[in-house]
Amino acid sequence: MNDDHAPFPGPHAAAPLADSPINTELLANVPFPNADILEVERLLSEEERAHLHKVRNFLQTEIRPVVGPYWDREEFPFELLPKLAEYGLGEIELSGFSRLLKGLLYAEVTRADVSLSALVGIHNELVVGAIDQLGSEEHKNTWLDGLRNFTKVGCFALTEPDHGSDIAGGLATTAKRTEDGWVITGSKRWIGGGTFADFAVVFARDVDDNHVKGFIVELDRDGVSKTKISRKMGLRIMQNADLGFDNVLVPHAALLPGATTFAGTNVMLRNSRAWVGWQAAGVQLAIFERARDYVLTRDQFGKKLAKFQLVQEQLARMVGNAAASISMLAQVAWLQENSGFDMPHAALAKATATRFARESASLARAMGGGNGILTDFELSKLFNDVEILYTYEGTYEINSLIVGRAVTGVSAFV
């Protein structure tokens, strides 16, 4: 039998779902059209899977087609926030969904746009999560309702100009308790959404006991400065900022009661690393889809690029990278819901998935040839955004050392 016409058995040969992001007309005769080739979403309940499909369809039809020009201009599409809220993307962490569905939702936002997925992830994992898990009842009553529908936006201010990977021991921003409240002094850098957020969860070192504590600081207070970081190669929709705190006075109640030492903060960082792993899985779905669509429509040397053996090998590598990443993150989600989830698991998932994403993005960009350097085809946009995923929430190298310490018992940090 000619291999080109050999049938593929099983249910996977069925027509793509109506709400799939793939080009159903282009791929009508493709036996395995879904980028999630192992169909991890089948582990969800029917109800959760239906919700995933609804959100996916919204993101692919209403968000992905309009975000490109914003990316080019380094602008934020504020008018999209009510739409994101309408589909529950402002309250993922409060939804009661399974950890697997939460992860797949983060992946779907990334599949549509990496920058917006950064906002949605930081908003949920680090801001909503911090207030819900570490905040007081007053904090929850003041902020959570607005955060749920994106009428309020927060940011997570931990990284500093001189301290990134070494922030746990090197954090230099200070907090001094006075009769009138806490006085915050210092600088923060790379703060996502910092240019327009209503408040920041600011981490500062208590000058009296030397512990790192978390505070809610409204960004319209006297002494707060905000400066946009421009000319980024990726995540250009996300408005990163330098934040300055010049003797900023906040009330005593601004202290997060669950973040009076760095241990509370570390739990948030562990969860956010797993979230970035889901981002890396989601972007790989987009990379594969954009590359496959391109080679199925582009003719060179008298035939479709998809007909060439080297191209097919690279597509197989991409979809394999994506399958490995999603499967790993699904197991991480299981650990999060059951027992034993720890920082090395999150670090391994984040490091591995972003490494795979980087390889796939490079292959796809090159596959596009000259068109691969234009944002029109999305390949260069994805290529640049992946570089940011590879670096933030713990660089690839730092996360690898966390895993190395876990499997050897020997620390390379000291």
Side-chain angles (χ1 to χ4, degrees):
M1 180 180 289
N2 187 330
D3 287 342
D4 284 348
H5 302 286
F8 288 89
H12 304 282
L17 294 168
D19 57 7
S20 172
I22 64 177
N23 185 328
T24 53
E25 182 177 348
L26 181 66
L27 303 177
N29 297 316
V30 174
F32 287 79
N34 295 321
D36 175 15
I37 195 170
L38 298 182
E39 300 189 55
V40 168
E41 68 175 58
R42 287 180 178 269
L43 298 174
L44 298 171
S45 67
E46 287 188 16
E47 180 181 3
E48 287 199 333
R49 194 176 182 207
H51 181 76
L52 178 67
H53 291 173
K54 181 179 73 171
V55 173
R56 174 187 298 160
N57 184 56
F58 154 68
L59 290 167
Q60 290 294 321
T61 59
E62 298 187 45
I63 299 299
R64 181 183 150 225
V66 302
V67 292
Y70 292 96
W71 193 95
D72 290 337
R73 298 191 302 264
E74 292 189 273
E75 294 177 2
F76 189 85
F78 292 100
E79 66 274 17
L80 296 183
L81 288 178
K83 292 186 176 182
L84 296 176
E86 182 182 342
Y87 283 82
L89 296 175
E91 53 182 352
I92 294 174
E93 283 307 300
L94 304 176
S95 63
F97 291 145
S98 68
R99 180 52 66 176
L100 178 59
L101 177 56
K102 291 177 182 179
L104 288 169
L105 287 171
Y106 290 137
E108 287 300 335
V109 183
T110 315
R111 195 179 198 168
D113 182 75
V114 185
S115 294
L116 285 182
S117 77
L119 176 80
V120 170
I122 291 169
H123 175 89
N124 279 279
E125 289 285 341
L126 295 177
V127 178
V128 172
I131 292 176
D132 184 53
Q133 298 172 40
L134 307 177
S136 66
E137 287 305 310
E138 179 183 350
H139 295 146
K140 296 174 187 178
N141 292 333
T142 300
W143 296 110
L144 284 183
D145 283 347
L147 291 170
R148 283 176 180 271
N149 58 32
F150 280 122
T151 58
K152 296 294 182 182
V153 176
C155 59
F156 192 82
L158 177 61
T159 301
E160 299 181 346
D162 296 322
H163 299 286
S165 297
D166 68 343
I167 194 67
L171 189 143
T173 299
T174 61
K176 174 66 177 177
R177 196 180 194 282
T178 69
E179 289 186 1
D180 297 323
W182 292 90
V183 177
I184 312 294
T185 303
S187 301
K188 298 295 181 179
R189 183 161 174 79
W190 295 116
I191 309 307
T195 61
F196 59 83
D198 297 287
F199 68 92
V201 180
V202 178
F203 294 89
R205 192 175 300 279
D206 187 338
V207 297
D208 293 325
D209 64 13
N210 206 40
H211 284 305
V212 174
K213 294 178 168 61
F215 302 86
I216 300 291
V217 181
E218 295 89 345
L219 294 184
D220 59 357
R221 287 187 175 273
D222 291 341
V224 175
S225 61
K226 301 175 284 187
T227 306
K228 177 181 174 178
I229 299 174
S230 299
R231 300 183 297 278
K232 298 182 300 177
M233 69 177 289
L235 252 66
R236 291 166 61 86
I237 290 175
M238 171 58 87
Q239 306 295 293
N240 292 91
D242 286 312
L243 298 182
F245 302 91
D246 183 9
N247 294 309
V248 177
L249 178 65
V250 298
H252 293 123
L255 176 67
L256 291 166
T260 56
T261 69
F262 197 77
T265 308
N266 209 39
V267 171
M268 309 306 300
L269 298 181
R270 180 197 65 189
N271 293 340
S272 71
R273 276 182 171 83
W275 151 63
V276 179
W278 281 111
Q279 280 190 293
V283 77
Q284 288 179 69
L285 301 179
I287 289 166
F288 172 77
E289 287 160 355
R290 301 293 77 73
R292 181 177 58 182
D293 285 0
Y294 183 80
V295 300
L296 283 171
T297 55
R298 175 73 167 174
D299 289 311
Q300 290 289 283
F301 301 101
K303 57 185 176 181
K304 300 295 182 191
L305 283 179
K307 185 71 173 175
F308 290 89
Q309 292 180 356
L310 286 177
V311 169
Q312 291 202 3
E313 186 277 332
Q314 291 174 354
L315 288 173
R317 206 185 320 172
M318 289 180 201
V319 79
N321 285 349
S325 298
I326 296 173
S327 298
M328 176 181 285
L329 267 298
Q331 180 61 20
V332 166
W334 184 89
L335 287 172
Q336 286 178 290
E337 285 195 331
N338 290 275
S339 63
F341 177 59
D342 206 348
M343 182 64 86
H345 300 121
L348 177 65
K350 193 272 181 181
T352 304
T354 56
R355 172 167 58 87
F356 285 158
R358 201 183 196 200
E359 178 189 35
S360 293
S362 180
L363 291 172
R365 197 230 54 80
M367 202 176 282
N371 288 329
I373 66 174
L374 300 173
T375 55
D376 307 55
F377 294 86
E378 297 186 63
L379 298 176
S380 68
K381 176 175 178 281
L382 293 165
F383 177 88
N384 284 286
D385 284 343
V386 162
E387 284 300 301
I388 314 304
L389 299 186
Y390 188 75
T391 300
Y392 80 169
E393 290 301 322
T395 64
Y396 172 81
E397 291 78 12
I398 289 296
N399 280 304
S400 297
L401 295 182
I402 291 172
V403 177
R405 179 176 60 191
V407 298
T408 65
V410 178
S411 176
F413 292 100
V414 293

